[in-house]
Amino acid sequence: MEHKYDIVIVGAGGGGLFAALEAVRTNPRVSVAVISKVYPTRSHTSAAQGGVNAALGNKDRDDTVELHVFDTVKGSDYLADQDAVDYLCSQAPSVVRELENLGAPFSRFPDGTIAQRPFGGTVKDRCCYCADKTGHTLLHTLFEQCLRRGVTFFNEYFLLSLEHADGDCQGVITLNMATSAIETFVASVVILATGGHAKMYWNRSSNAAGNTGDGQAAALRAGIPLKDMEFIQFHPTGLRKSGLLVTEGARGEGGYLLNRHGERFMARYAPQKMELGPRDLVARSMETEIIEGNGFESDAGSYLELDLRHLGAGAIKKKLPQIRELSMHFEGVDPIEEPIPVRPTAHYSMGGIDAAMARTAIRGVYAIGECACISVHGANRLGGNSLLDILVFGKRAGQEAALEAPERKVHGITPAAVRMVAHEIRSYAGHERYERYGIIREEMGKTMGDNVGIYRIEGRLRKGVDEIQSLRERFRRIRLFDTGTVFNTNLIQILELKNMLDLALCVAVTALERLESRGSHYREDFPRRDDEAWHRHSLCTMGGDGEMSLNHKAVTMGKYSLETRSY
Amino acid sequence: MERREVSFRIYRYNPQVDRTPFYDNFRIAVEKGITILRALNHIKEHLEPRLTFRAFCQAGICGSCAVRINGVSRLACTTQVWDLLTGSGDETILIEPLDNLEVIRDLVVDINPIMEKLKRNYSWIRPAIPEEEMGRKEHIVSDEEFETINASSDCILCGSCYSECSMMAVNRDYISPPVLLKTFRMNNDTRDTFACERLREVTTDDGLWDCTHCYKCTEHCTKKIPIMDGIHRLREEAFERGMTQTKGARHAQAFFDDIRDIGRLREVTLPLRTKGVLGSIGMVPLAVRMGLKGRKPPLLVKRIPDIERVRDIYSRLEANRGES
Amino acid sequence: MQYAYFLSCINESMTKEVDRALNLWKKDLGMELVNLEKGTCCGGSNLDYVSPNHFIIINGRNLALAEQMGLDLATSCSTCLLTLRRAKHILDTSSEKREMVNAHLADEGLYYGGTSDVKHLLWVINEDYGLERLAVKVTAPLRGVRFAPFYGCHILRPSALLGRDDSAAPSSLDRLVEALGGSLVEYGSKNKCCGFHTLLVAEKQSLTMTGNAIEDAVRSGADYIVTPCPLCHTALDAYQDKALAGRRASRNIPVLHLSQMIGLALGYSREALGIDRHMIAV
């Protein structure tokens, strides 16, 4: 079945939805379709709790866009492109107010203005929030406005490939999950907004099961480079079994981190700040403890303990009720009675589709949000900037797409392209195949966690690269057991695994290549930042044979020259 | 780590293959702390790759994984297996798809009816600010105004209330609890300018007044939102806006009037006042049969003693309203 | 055991047998029920829709009348139970609302202080009297009689306001049946809705709910449905023929009130208990 639209947006999270809204508002005559593998309000934007940064000046009256820019550039360990950061921060106040105008609920100050609070790595309190559900309420608001505008949705359609002809966008090929039919969407403009890929660390990730980088993988297959893939943000305290986040507040209120000897081990890594050292330091310390054998063991892997018992039942119930509920629901542990099992969790992917100001190397293809690397987050993202990222660049991409689409001609998607995709899918059911999805996926998660995790060193990175290569090879013999055509989740899992394996290799090879430590990328063998050799973006491109080739791109500088990053 | 053997009895149905649905049994060892979702994932990975269900965030915020567990609609990802064990020798947990929605396959149901109802009932804010002026200034909203819609904005559209709703079970066209909750959320947002039209839409057939007040929605909301309070508030708003000609509103008005007049419900004329003369004709045969068995409400109901006190309360409230 | 008694409008009119039965045996259990003479109809949830202030003041007054007697309130109607408990909860958690209500009650010499609890007859029997004591008083155990207990919504949900049962798997009425010597059938509709409150507004849909519950009880092999709510009773009994019209139920099933079932076990006759007043023959 073939569809034709002026603009096709893949992904219905905050970025995709705002792009759709903006496109129809900018040019009511363009036809827009939003394709998503989950219903829009299921998107992972819903899990973002912290808030969205904007220099509104409601809290700190002397806050400015410029201060926000600096915080972001410094936070990125100077890898962010400063022109993009300028744009991000300058658009922030109007974009946040626009969402508010469209009905997004926000917590308020007594004077009725949008409330703002402090967040990591910022000099002013500029994180706007709605209780602890900012992402959820923004997502629902955008979905509601899309319903209002009659935006066309294709829900539960899976992205199979991005099609182009000599660098001109032609559209996408998708799988209709309800029927397993392959359906093409011919489009003048495609906006990829498919979310992050930190799920490649599997149960050592806080991400949703479907954050498998489908857009990034499709872009890679279409020849678009991925940028800065080595930069994965790890959050220190994820729940052991599920990887779900236990917010920093637990440590802020006085929780202790303990190893299996009952020792508050942070005394050896950050004797002054103890559990309240910066995120990447705490995460690294915890990893070290586990690697050195001081962690607890369980079926769900190694872990450490976050002990809140000494705070007392009263304080826990009053100040940390959500953490208690999370711990009871997902670990079956009541923090009043027992310590919470935790370990660092892969949380956010700074790297993604190379998309300077949201435009990719293919004319007519945009990429926004966590699937893209513009780059506004560089080597490390500030909390509160990712919701901002998706709103600002979602809006921009929607606007530009609406103006560009009528000017672009498309020829269509070739039957050969469709045949290729169909053939691959059919091959999974072959009886000569024998590799199991669950096993390959577990091994991928394990090797990424062990070898391409928080602490990286050449030997382990090489091992990671080799193991991922081997898994990709084994994937060629993966067996699809469910051959049904109605809502085949086994097939979707396999397609997602394929995407994750390609992206995992990008992460591993770029991590191996970068011989310095910057932001979230820490090399034990190269523990210092090396601006002279390494102040540049990495680019990873996949050839037709599946091999990765590496390149680099300069960082766009601006007002802020390189400085040591210390807090 | 405590472990136990548990059987999962799971509803299966693949329309491509099965004439009718059936139940499949999977017995696995679970350790304390495992959620239903993790058990389903385990079963899919190790025992039955064709088991089909929705799941995404695994954190109770996306709403994908709502299913019926032992007959009650819940999120699979926030339900602990251990909490469901009875201590008997033969532990079995029943897992079925949400009710009141078409099954696509196994535990996956078609939620398009919910989306369509949201659309039909204007479940969005229509702001006063014109498009060109958006982004300049936020509306001033007090904390109290925010709190009014705070709980209702927790809704993750998981569909549990839709599945539990008594009226949904007997009428697929019924507006449904999540849509009523969204209506409440929109109508009570001080920035919205469409409340009257939205309420009018919602009070049409199969709408607001068809809720049978069973409280299953509130009882089983996965985010603990008091949905029925929202429905009450919408009915109050209908009265505030003079949308009082529906049967449901006239029914409520009858109670209000009777308490003032005699302190008791005048049951004899209740059907008449609710449904009108033509509407009540259908009830005559039953009324006659009941009358023959002595089960008739009195034609004249005695006033309660001190009815004047009650009327004073009404007068005082009427006067207050006139003043404000 | 002395209680202020909230009669409920329907028990005064169409389901008079509820009280007729209760009055036969209440003294056997040492239970004294003092009618709330000056109390008004609680309004169900309807008063709230028309005017929340009226709802809270009128029911605050009902509660204050009980407080004036220095007694807890007991009722035989589940909707009255929920309505009064809801009003009580609102008043107990808002000093502003309490002040407003008391301002209106002042000239009648009434005051709402929150000192009277609101209970269902079922809770009085189960908790205040006790099932073990009751079992001893049983002279005509209901052996061999199979009951389908129909709880009805307003004694179960919302459990935050009521809290005697797990609303998904209630057992309080079941235990009472067993204490009286009766047996139980397991059937899915025991905690479902009878549709009473929308009978006049959405009759077809409500009757479908009613019919579903009745058919379920019939299929489970019960001899009787027993219910603690006169509104459920009306739907299940008075509307039974209408509800079963067009269905292929194998038989009708008689519906007993809670107070009648207790009366039978305590040795009273069917006629005395008003069982013959029902629409469905026993």
Side-chain angles (χ1 to χ4, degrees):
Chain A
M1 185 168 175
E2 189 182 271
H3 308 268
K4 193 169 193 313
Y5 285 89
D6 294 322
I7 301 172
V8 158
I9 298 169
V10 186
L17 292 178
F18 205 17
L21 204 58
E22 198 58 22
V24 302
R25 283 154 78 180
T26 301
N27 186 351
R29 272 164 306 154
V30 286
S31 58
V32 179
V34 177
I35 295 173
S36 173
K37 71 179 180 185
V38 294
Y39 275 76
T41 56
R42 311 296 184 222
S43 305
H44 206 48
T45 306
S46 63
Q49 299 180 335
V52 52
N53 292 337
L56 299 182
N58 290 347
K59 172 86 186 293
D60 293 335
R61 304 233 171 258
D62 56 349
D63 191 16
T64 61
V65 165
E66 209 45 54
L67 288 171
H68 188 183
V69 169
F70 177 68
D71 284 341
T72 302
V73 169
K74 177 178 168 185
S76 78
D77 219 347
Y78 295 89
L79 198 67
D81 293 300
Q82 293 187 28
D83 58 338
V85 176
D86 280 340
Y87 184 74
L88 178 80
C89 300
S90 65
Q91 293 301 302
S94 68
V95 141
V96 168
R97 288 190 166 117
E98 185 181 351
L99 260 295
E100 190 280 340
N101 291 166
L102 289 172
F106 279 95
S107 297
R108 302 278 169 165
F109 282 141
D111 65 358
T113 57
I114 295 172
Q116 295 181 284
R117 63 181 168 198
F119 222 74
T122 61
V123 299
K124 297 288 173 191
D125 297 349
R126 67 172 75 93
C127 193
C128 310
Y129 61 99
C130 176
D132 60 353
K133 54 187 180 183
T134 316
H136 162 81
T137 46
L138 286 176
L139 181 63
H140 277 250
T141 301
L142 286 167
F143 177 61
E144 288 151 13
Q145 292 299 311
C146 281
L147 285 182
R148 177 182 171 208
R149 293 287 177 163
V151 169
T152 304
F153 285 97
F154 288 86
N155 294 317
E156 295 181 327
Y157 276 66
F158 188 89
L159 176 68
L160 294 173
S161 73
L162 173 67
E163 296 299 319
H164 70 100
D166 293 322
D168 279 302
C169 175
Q170 299 301 318
V172 295
I173 303 179
T174 68
L175 182 85
N176 178 343
M177 287 163 64
T179 60
S180 295
I182 294 184
E183 299 187 16
T184 59
F185 287 79
V186 174
S188 310
V189 170
V190 168
I191 302 177
L192 296 171
T194 59
H197 51 259
K199 196 59 182 174
M200 62 178 60
Y201 290 81
W202 202 251
N203 62 342
R204 294 191 58 182
S205 165
S206 65
N207 280 196
N211 284 22
T212 52
D214 304 339
Q216 295 86 306
L220 197 60
R221 289 192 293 270
I224 298 176
L226 302 184
K227 194 162 77 193
D228 294 343
M229 287 296 280
E230 61 269 46
F231 298 101
I232 301 276
Q233 187 173 71
F234 288 87
H235 191 288
T237 49
L239 289 176
R240 166 202 46 173
K241 286 205 187 82
S242 51
L244 300 178
L245 239 45
V246 176
T247 165
E248 220 154 293
R251 283 171 282 137
E253 291 295 336
Y256 297 153
L257 283 171
L258 304 172
N259 61 21
R260 71 182 174 93
H261 306 295
E263 179 202 355
R264 271 180 83 187
F265 56 85
M266 285 309 297
R268 285 186 275 114
Y269 301 93
Q272 291 262 33
K273 298 215 105 187
M274 295 292 280
E275 282 85 0
L276 291 175
R279 262 186 210 183
D280 44 359
L281 173 61
V282 178
R284 280 196 283 277
S285 312
M286 293 172 71
E287 254 329 85
T288 303
E289 288 297 294
I290 288 174
I291 287 170
E292 291 183 354
N294 294 327
F296 297 85
E297 290 302 320
S298 79
D299 284 353
S302 317
Y303 64 96
L304 296 163
E305 285 181 345
L306 175 63
D307 197 351
L308 305 179
R309 288 174 299 180
H310 57 282
L311 302 177
I316 293 176
K317 285 185 187 168
K318 186 164 160 44
K319 296 187 184 169
L320 305 170
Q322 277 99 301
I323 286 171
R324 180 163 180 250
E325 217 183 276
L326 214 68
S327 177
M328 292 197 294
H329 266 147
F330 299 109
E331 290 287 329
V333 159
D334 184 347
I336 292 176
E337 312 285 333
E338 301 173 64
I340 309 173
V342 293
R343 71 180 166 209
T345 188
H347 179 55
Y348 184 84
S349 26
M350 272 72 70
I353 300 169
D354 179 23
M357 298 308 278
R359 286 173 183 268
T360 71
I362 294 180
R363 288 177 292 277
V365 174
Y366 295 75
I368 54 154
E370 197 178 343
C371 78
C373 182
I374 302 244
S375 155
V376 285
H377 307 303
N380 173 62
R381 173 180 73 74
L382 291 185
N385 268 359
S386 93
L387 283 176
L388 179 60
D389 177 12
I390 67 182
L391 294 178
V392 168
F393 287 98
K395 184 180 168 89
R396 184 186 172 95
Q399 275 170 350
E400 300 206 337
L403 298 171
E404 186 177 348
E407 310 296 314
R408 298 193 55 78
K409 283 206 223 323
V410 276
H411 306 293
I413 293 173
T414 65
V418 177
R419 271 198 303 273
M420 205 166 74
V421 149
H423 174 76
E424 162 115 27
I425 290 176
R426 269 199 305 275
S427 72
Y428 298 144
H431 289 287
E432 73 288 0
R433 286 160 165 265
Y434 55 86
E435 292 284 1
R436 294 189 69 105
Y437 158 80
I439 293 177
I440 296 190
R441 192 205 65 214
E442 281 308 303
E443 293 190 23
M444 172 189 72
K446 185 169 195 316
T447 192
M448 290 306 287
D450 289 346
N451 301 314
V452 196
I454 293 173
Y455 274 119
R456 298 162 173 187
I457 195 170
E458 182 179 334
R460 288 203 301 273
L461 286 169
R462 284 208 186 281
K463 187 158 184 264
V465 169
D466 290 341
E467 288 185 357
I468 297 288
Q469 288 282 35
S470 151
L471 288 172
R472 280 172 101 218
E473 185 54 39
R474 285 169 59 192
F475 180 88
R476 286 141 71 87
R477 291 177 295 279
I478 200 164
R479 176 72 182 269
L480 173 69
F481 285 96
D482 183 355
T483 53
T485 57
V486 177
F487 214 92
N488 189 333
T489 45
N490 191 201
L491 173 60
I492 297 301
Q493 283 177 325
I494 286 174
L495 293 170
E496 288 173 339
L497 178 61
K498 175 165 177 246
N499 291 340
M500 283 194 286
L501 285 170
D502 286 348
L503 299 176
L505 186 58
C506 291
V507 175
V509 299
T510 52
L512 177 60
E513 201 219 17
R514 184 175 286 269
L515 303 179
E516 65 152 0
S517 290
R518 184 184 298 263
S520 66
H521 171 77
Y522 189 89
R523 291 282 301 246
E524 295 175 57
D525 43 359
F526 296 93
R528 280 175 32 256
R529 198 176 86 190
D530 181 355
D531 290 326
E532 212 180 287
W534 288 101
H535 185 236
R536 53 194 190 172
H537 296 295
S538 71
L539 291 174
C540 182
T541 313
M542 188 167 81
D545 53 357
E547 289 300 303
M548 301 297 174
S549 59
L550 300 178
N551 213 331
H552 306 99
K553 193 172 174 175
V555 176
T556 306
M557 294 301 278
K559 267 195 224 68
Y560 303 105
S561 33
L562 292 157
E563 273 180 37
T564 332
R565 175 182 169 239
S566 63
Y567 289 95
Chain B
M1 258 291 128
E2 276 190 79
R3 298 177 81 90
R4 214 162 284 178
E5 289 263 313
V6 178
S7 285
F8 289 87
R9 195 166 137 77
I10 307 182
Y11 178 104
R12 306 295 305 281
Y13 177 61
N14 181 350
Q16 238 194 325
V17 172
D18 303 313
R19 195 167 46 89
T20 55
F22 61 98
Y23 286 83
D24 228 341
N25 236 303
F26 303 96
R27 194 162 181 77
I28 61 173
V30 295
E31 70 176 37
K32 184 165 190 253
I34 292 293
T35 60
I36 291 287
L37 179 59
R38 290 186 75 93
L40 288 174
N41 279 330
H42 178 95
I43 292 167
K44 186 175 176 69
E45 240 159 81
H46 299 282
L47 298 175
E48 167 59 309
R50 290 165 299 194
L51 179 61
T52 304
F53 51 92
R54 286 196 180 107
F56 199 65
C57 76
Q58 310 141 130
I61 192 68
C62 76
S64 297
C65 65
V67 286
R68 272 183 298 168
I69 299 168
N70 288 345
V72 176
S73 308
R74 306 178 67 159
L75 294 178
C77 73
T78 57
T79 303
Q80 285 282 317
V81 170
W82 225 251
D83 289 347
L84 300 170
L85 300 182
T86 57
S88 74
D90 184 27
E91 301 279 14
T92 304
I93 297 177
L94 177 66
I95 305 187
E96 297 166 298
L98 291 182
D99 205 356
N100 304 328
L101 293 162
E102 288 297 318
V103 174
I104 292 174
R105 184 174 170 185
D106 291 353
L107 302 172
V108 175
V109 294
D110 180 11
I111 62 171
N112 283 324
I114 303 181
M115 303 298 145
E116 278 150 30
K117 284 174 183 174
L118 286 171
K119 196 162 172 180
R120 219 178 310 136
N121 290 280
Y122 307 101
S123 295
W124 51 76
I125 295 289
R126 193 184 73 173
I129 300 180
E131 292 274 312
E132 324 78 68
E133 288 174 30
M134 286 204 171
R136 292 188 202 158
K137 254 227 126 266
E138 64 255 48
H139 295 88
I140 296 302
V141 173
S142 73
D143 196 49
E144 198 189 319
E145 289 164 348
F146 169 70
E147 279 309 318
T148 303
I149 60 156
N150 193 4
S152 60
S153 73
D154 284 345
C155 174
I156 58 176
L157 290 175
C158 70
S160 292
C161 57
Y162 199 96
S163 170
E164 292 293 317
C165 176
S166 301
M167 189 46 86
M168 269 328 301
V170 297
N171 180 9
R172 290 284 168 100
D173 292 330
Y174 175 55
I175 190 173
S176 84
V179 178
L180 288 174
L181 183 65
K182 281 278 183 188
T183 305
F184 165 85
R185 179 256 176 279
M186 303 304 159
N187 274 30
N188 286 274
D189 192 317
T190 50
R191 303 165 295 174
D192 176 65
T193 59
F194 203 65
C196 190
E197 295 90 324
R198 193 180 295 113
L199 190 63
R200 188 162 287 132
E201 179 64 39
V202 148
T203 54
T204 51
D205 287 344
D206 306 310
L208 175 65
W209 290 103
D210 279 25
C211 163
T212 196
H213 210 241
C214 73
Y215 273 92
K216 288 192 90 199
C217 52
T218 294
E219 188 75 353
H220 298 291
C221 176
T222 58
K223 302 301 274 184
K224 298 196 174 51
I225 305 168
I227 300 173
M228 185 59 74
D229 287 0
I231 294 174
H232 272 229
R233 179 68 205 118
L234 287 174
R235 289 178 168 180
E236 287 160 26
E237 194 187 331
F239 272 93
E240 284 164 15
R241 295 187 183 276
M243 295 178 188
T244 53
Q245 290 320 297
T246 55
K247 282 189 288 196
R250 289 203 298 263
H251 186 73
Q253 186 72 42
F255 281 76
F256 180 88
D257 293 339
D258 286 353
I259 289 172
R260 178 197 55 227
D261 294 345
I262 58 172
R264 284 283 185 279
L265 185 62
R266 278 190 285 239
E267 279 143 341
V268 142
T269 53
L270 189 57
L272 221 59
R273 286 180 287 167
T274 301
K275 305 207 283 189
V277 173
L278 284 173
S280 309
I281 286 178
M283 295 191 64
V284 169
L286 177 60
V288 165
R289 281 206 317 275
M290 285 174 72
L292 290 171
K293 281 221 110 172
R295 282 180 101 62
K296 55 182 186 297
L299 285 167
L300 284 170
V301 182
K302 237 176 44 176
R303 279 206 295 261
I304 58 158
D306 284 11
I307 186 65
E308 287 309 319
R309 302 297 195 170
V310 175
R311 291 181 187 168
D312 284 345
I313 291 173
Y314 273 68
S315 314
R316 255 180 264 128
L317 284 169
E318 191 56 46
N320 288 350
R321 230 182 6 170
E323 278 161 33
S324 59
Chain C
M1 288 188 340
Q2 199 188 28
Y3 303 89
Y5 189 51
F6 197 82
L7 196 48
S8 110
C9 300
I10 200 170
N11 284 342
E12 275 185 327
S13 60
M14 298 202 290
T15 50
K16 288 197 187 64
E17 64 273 7
V18 171
D19 271 0
R20 189 194 289 186
L22 182 55
N23 289 331
L24 284 180
W25 54 257
K26 65 186 180 191
K27 290 213 185 60
D28 296 351
L29 305 188
M31 190 162 67
E32 200 188 318
L33 301 172
V34 184
N35 276 358
L36 213 67
E37 288 300 336
K38 302 186 201 166
T40 66
C41 166
C42 70
S45 55
N46 293 292
L47 205 49
D48 196 22
Y49 306 147
V50 184
S51 164
N53 282 339
H54 284 74
F55 159 68
I56 200 74
I57 297 168
I58 292 298
N59 284 297
R61 180 173 176 277
N62 284 329
L63 292 163
L65 284 166
E67 287 186 29
Q68 198 178 52
M69 293 186 220
L71 298 171
D72 284 340
L73 252 179
T75 178
S76 289
C77 170
S78 301
T79 295
C80 295
L81 173 78
L82 177 60
T83 305
L84 288 164
R85 285 185 74 85
R86 208 177 135 243
K88 182 170 167 57
H89 176 75
I90 292 172
L91 290 173
D92 288 349
T93 52
S94 165
S95 54
E96 199 188 307
K97 295 241 159 66
R98 264 201 314 280
E99 271 174 43
M100 191 253 306
V101 164
N102 283 327
H104 281 273
L105 298 181
D107 72 342
E108 205 173 342
L110 289 172
Y111 181 80
Y112 177 85
T115 54
S116 288
D117 197 0
V118 181
K119 304 179 182 187
H120 194 284
L121 178 68
L122 174 62
W123 303 351
V124 167
I125 300 294
N126 277 23
E127 297 164 18
D128 298 354
Y129 189 75
L131 292 179
E132 277 178 20
R133 271 169 82 191
L134 180 64
V136 164
K137 294 265 182 179
V138 168
T139 57
L142 306 169
R143 252 182 258 305
V145 184
R146 282 174 312 170
F147 289 91
F150 190 86
Y151 284 76
C153 305
H154 292 172
I155 202 173
L156 294 177
R157 292 179 290 264
S159 51
L161 270 184
L162 298 157
R164 257 64 173 185
D165 274 295
D166 171 2
S167 66
S171 62
S172 55
L173 180 55
D174 296 46
R175 282 182 279 117
L176 175 60
V177 167
E178 286 173 338
L180 299 176
S183 14
L184 297 157
V185 300
E186 269 306 316
Y187 76 125
S189 301
K190 76 194 278 193
N191 66 343
K192 295 219 169 113
C193 183
C194 71
F196 179 86
H197 286 290
T198 38
L199 270 173
L200 294 180
V201 172
E203 182 175 297
K204 185 159 147 309
Q205 293 91 313
S206 291
L207 287 178
T208 308
M209 290 183 212
T210 321
N212 288 346
I214 296 168
E215 263 198 319
D216 196 4
V218 166
R219 253 185 278 115
S220 315
D223 299 310
Y224 294 93
I225 293 175
V226 62
T227 179
C229 178
L231 306 178
C232 294
H233 184 279
T234 302
L236 296 166
D237 170 68
Y239 281 82
Q240 185 166 133
D241 283 337
K242 257 195 154 181
L244 292 181
R247 291 179 186 241
R248 273 180 277 135
S250 53
R251 58 178 166 100
N252 283 102
I253 179 169
V255 186
L256 289 183
H257 292 284
L258 174 71
S259 56
Q260 290 171 329
M261 181 180 69
I262 295 174
L264 282 174
L266 294 178
Y268 293 90
S269 76
R270 288 168 32 142
E271 298 77 43
L273 291 167
I275 293 176
D276 294 330
R277 289 193 80 232
H278 299 174
M279 294 303 289
I280 299 299
V282 171

